[in-house]
Amino acid sequence: MANNIKILTKDIGTDGLEGISVYKKLGGYLGVEKALKQMSPDEVVEEVKKAGVRGRGGAGFPMGMKWGFLAKPEGVPRYLVCNADESEPGTFKDHYLMMKNPHLLIEGMIISSFALGANKSFIYVRGELMYVIHILEKAIEEAKQAGYLGKNILGTGFDLELIVQPGGGAYICGEETALLESLEGKRGNPRNKPPFPAVKGLYQCPTVVNNVESIANTPWIIQNGGDSYAGIGIGRSTGTKLISASGHVKNPGVYELELGLPVEEFIYSDEYLGGIRDGHHLKAVVAGGSSVPILPAGLILKTAEGEPRLMTYESLSEGGFVSGTMLGSGGFIAMDETTCIVRNTWNFTRFYRHESCGQCSPCREGTGWMEKVLYRIEHGTGNERDIDLLVDVAKRIEGNTICPLGDAAAWPVGSAIRHFRDEFEWHIKHPAQATAKGAIFSKSLMDVMA
């Protein structure tokens, strides 16, 4: 299914693309011209609904449907907030897009703000990415000077102020309600829902929060039509998807692919990842960022029924968490046979324990317990009861917290034990070998030492 369909990255690599003059020469801001001069806000929303584009931040919720939920009380401002707090381990496609083509996001923000009736919108950027913030601020100033931001844009009567806000330095601020709390100057703790942001969001006003990649699709959709976008991809997984690819592959990087591409082709074709590094073979993959279930090589390439696994929301989740995973944020991490799954799981769990806001006791305490148990298994002091203890703690966290961070911490642990339990058992039964420098678990090694 190799193809060259590009929507978001087609111009990346063009000299001077970060400047408005080059961006306009390539067709930039024509979407704004069309939306503001030829369409009503409702017509823009309808095109996004037709496109079927789903939230690219991880949840995969239909973007147009989310826009349709926005409350519109009289005399109350509405807000659009772009979630650019990309902090998931293994995910880096949003800041790549902002760095290489900032005006694409700005154009998307203008179109989306017009559709939602928002006259003040925000781009909330991960605080560590100050160089990206500077790029965006420069691009916003260029857009203002060109008449695309500010008062009476293009003489249409539509006003928009666009503000870039550095993030609060916490992964939890990527959760939309914690992000809104942070934007308001408070600690980034998630809110109880309902009410949802569409009813009471920023400053208790109706608010839509969308991901960078989601918003960046809107200029193309307006220019080419929602039906054209829906014609790309397969089934309910329409359009293209940016993938942050890392790990033990020959060609790591950011890739834009049409949804529906076979996972095997993505990993092994020269057009994409080029296969696993020389002399090694695929052991496991985390397909959508560190929060999604890990899958062994056999189950990431084919479903449990033997069907080829595709890069779509539906295909990757085929089999549920028993034999499937999630597309998530598109953080694709490939691991070869030198990877210690126990050490990798402990490392992920350290991250989630550190980033838990502490508001919910199952997450606050449970992530700490999982980290401690994984530490002792990895460092040669675990016992056989620890594996079932980890499973039990993960189950008690999952579904019992205000926000999804608890689930994000629990799923990697549960899936690692589900698919690689023998590796955890080997660590416990053979602590000296497991903790030796350069030790690598393998089925044959386990058989020899049994």
Side-chain angles (χ1 to χ4, degrees):
M1 186 184 168
N3 61 78
N4 293 306
I5 294 176
K6 298 289 183 288
I7 291 174
L8 303 173
T9 62
K10 64 182 179 65
D11 296 323
I12 287 179
T14 304
D15 288 342
L17 181 61
E18 68 280 0
I20 194 168
S21 60
V22 173
Y23 181 71
K24 287 189 68 176
K25 284 178 183 177
L26 295 169
Y29 289 106
L30 291 178
V32 169
E33 299 263 358
K34 182 178 179 180
L36 271 60
K37 291 182 176 180
Q38 301 176 33
M39 302 173 72
S40 69
D42 287 344
E43 287 172 336
V44 174
V45 173
E46 189 58 32
E47 288 303 317
V48 172
K49 286 182 178 179
K50 285 181 186 177
V53 60
R54 295 164 67 172
R56 301 304 202 227
F61 191 81
M63 184 174 169
M65 188 181 296
K66 189 174 189 179
W67 285 12
F69 292 151
L70 186 69
K72 299 178 180 178
E74 287 292 328
V76 177
R78 298 169 221 150
Y79 297 103
L80 170 65
V81 178
C82 174
N83 185 347
D85 192 56
E86 186 175 51
S87 305
E88 177 103 347
T91 307
F92 44 88
K93 44 95 177 176
D94 286 341
H95 83 255
Y96 174 81
L97 191 62
M98 291 186 289
M99 177 178 66
K100 297 291 186 179
N101 196 356
H103 283 282
L104 181 63
L105 175 59
I106 293 166
E107 182 175 9
M109 289 293 292
I110 298 167
I111 294 169
S112 303
S113 298
F114 171 72
L116 298 168
N119 300 115
K120 191 172 186 178
S121 296
F122 298 85
I123 304 174
Y124 184 95
V125 183
R126 180 178 175 182
E128 291 86 347
L129 300 178
M130 287 306 299
Y131 67 98
V132 173
I133 292 170
H134 296 323
I135 290 170
L136 286 172
E137 288 176 335
K138 181 180 179 181
I140 286 172
E141 187 57 37
E142 288 182 330
K144 281 181 184 176
Q145 295 300 320
Y148 295 112
L149 287 170
K151 299 287 187 182
N152 192 25
I153 297 172
L154 302 177
T156 62
F158 176 62
D159 304 335
L160 178 62
E161 181 183 4
L162 185 56
I163 298 168
V164 179
Q165 174 63 42
Y171 172 70
I172 194 65
C173 291
E175 194 278 333
E176 64 178 10
T177 60
L179 186 158
L180 296 177
E181 288 285 289
S182 179
L183 255 182
E184 292 177 4
K186 294 178 279 188
R187 191 176 192 271
N189 279 359
R191 300 174 181 173
N192 275 307
K193 294 180 283 190
F196 291 91
V199 177
K200 287 191 175 181
L202 187 64
Y203 309 126
Q204 297 301 297
C205 296
T207 304
V208 167
V209 181
N210 283 138
N211 170 261
V212 171
E213 184 183 349
S214 306
I215 292 171
N217 276 296
T218 56
W220 194 96
I221 292 170
I222 295 307
Q223 280 286 81
N224 298 276
D227 289 334
S228 295
Y229 189 90
I232 303 168
I234 183 171
R236 291 175 54 241
S237 293
T238 63
T240 64
K241 178 78 184 76
L242 293 181
I243 301 294
S244 315
S246 62
H248 299 141
V249 292
K250 292 181 181 177
N251 306 320
V254 175
Y255 292 87
E256 182 175 10
L257 52 86
E258 181 178 357
L259 287 169
L261 182 79
V263 174
E264 187 167 7
E265 184 175 338
F266 179 58
I267 294 175
Y268 291 103
S269 73
D270 291 336
E271 184 179 354
Y272 296 105
L273 305 188
I276 307 305
R277 58 182 179 169
D278 290 339
H280 298 278
H281 60 267
L282 183 66
K283 177 177 181 177
V285 166
V286 173
S290 65
S291 62
V292 308
I294 189 172
L295 286 183
L299 285 176
I300 193 64
L301 299 177
K302 294 184 183 298
T303 66
E305 288 71 38
E307 295 295 320
R309 190 81 75 173
L310 307 179
M311 295 291 285
T312 68
Y313 294 94
E314 293 77 24
S315 181
L316 285 171
S317 63
E318 179 68 31
F321 281 2
V322 173
S323 61
T325 183
M326 298 167 66
L327 180 59
S329 59
F332 196 95
I333 309 171
M335 308 173 196
D336 68 21
E337 80 287 352
T338 66
T339 302
C340 173
I341 299 298
V342 177
R343 188 179 305 122
N344 183 77
T345 307
W346 169 56
N347 199 37
F348 281 171
T349 303
R350 288 169 60 208
F351 172 80
Y352 288 109
R353 192 276 305 163
H354 181 268
E355 295 296 340
S356 172
C357 75
Q359 188 174 195
C360 305
S361 56
C363 180
R364 181 185 66 245
E365 303 299 332
T367 54
W369 293 344
M370 289 195 302
E371 182 196 7
K372 289 174 183 176
V373 174
L374 284 162
Y375 175 89
R376 66 183 183 226
I377 294 175
E378 169 62 16
H379 290 81
T381 59
N383 62 69
E384 293 186 25
R385 297 188 303 275
D386 283 342
I387 300 175
D388 290 331
L389 176 60
L390 282 169
V391 173
D392 184 60
V393 172
K395 285 180 178 178
R396 292 176 187 274
I397 297 172
E398 185 179 352
N400 292 311
T401 54
I402 290 173
C403 86
L405 189 141
D407 295 345
W411 292 340
V413 174
S415 60
I417 294 172
R418 186 181 310 119
H419 299 298
F420 298 96
R421 188 182 183 103
D422 51 359
E423 190 161 343
F424 285 82
E425 291 173 345
W426 181 75
H427 272 69
I428 291 167
K429 292 176 181 177
H430 308 283
Q433 292 87 348
T435 56
K437 186 175 181 180
I440 299 173
F441 168 83
S442 68
K443 296 280 188 181
S444 58
L445 182 59
M446 184 179 179
D447 292 340
V448 169
M449 294 185 170

